[in-house]
Amino acid sequence: VFKEKTMTWPLQYTNPGEGREAPPPPPAATEKAGDGQWRSISLSSQSERVVAVRTFEDAAMGPVVRNADRELRAMLKRDGLMPMEGSEEFVTFAQYDAVHSMGKRRGEVWIELKCGGHPF
């Protein structure tokens, strides 16, 4: 399974209990996406999903991210939680600090859980 590398930023989200559908994107984002300096930007909505998260504080380099993913998969197996089928073919991670920032950083590896494969 090949997944193209993408970068995403949440523009708007639904709080737990406010419904399962993704909210519409902000009008200003819809107007600008695809034009001028935003020509490579596209908008997408994602419905509710449950993900397991493992944090890490090192730079989000390949070996660090893959190790955090392996550790999270081991924790899921230990706890009887089931990841989505095919999720082992790629890594999804979040990086919250500037790429070239120094010192302690905040990063997360995410693994989507299979519907019915968790008690949440």
Side-chain angles (χ1 to χ4, degrees):
V1 173
F2 174 78
K3 277 191 98 158
E4 186 176 321
K5 179 180 177 181
T6 60
M7 297 176 75
T8 62
W9 291 267
L11 299 178
Q12 195 167 354
Y13 61 92
T14 303
N15 290 316
E18 291 183 352
R20 299 180 68 86
E21 296 302 313
T30 304
E31 292 168 13
K32 291 180 179 180
D35 288 335
Q37 68 183 10
W38 296 280
R39 68 183 166 278
S40 63
I41 303 296
S42 63
L43 300 175
S44 65
S45 294
Q46 296 185 4
S47 296
E48 178 182 71
R49 60 191 171 148
V50 176
V51 297
V53 176
R54 168 82 166 94
T55 62
F56 58 91
E57 294 179 351
D58 294 321
M61 304 287 284
V64 171
V65 173
R66 284 190 292 277
N67 185 56
D69 183 77
R70 269 192 304 277
E71 290 175 353
L72 180 54
R73 288 182 189 283
M75 291 177 205
L76 294 176
K77 187 173 183 176
R78 177 198 68 199
D79 295 342
L81 301 173
M82 294 184 285
M84 289 290 288
E85 292 177 21
S87 68
E88 68 282 348
E89 300 291 328
F90 56 90
V91 176
T92 302
F93 70 97
Q95 180 176 310
Y96 295 96
D97 300 299
V99 174
H100 302 292
S101 64
M102 301 297 286
K104 190 173 174 181
R105 300 176 183 202
R106 179 174 165 220
E108 298 173 344
V109 170
W110 296 1
I111 298 176
E112 186 172 355
L113 298 181
K114 188 176 184 176
C115 202
H118 58 82
F120 313 109

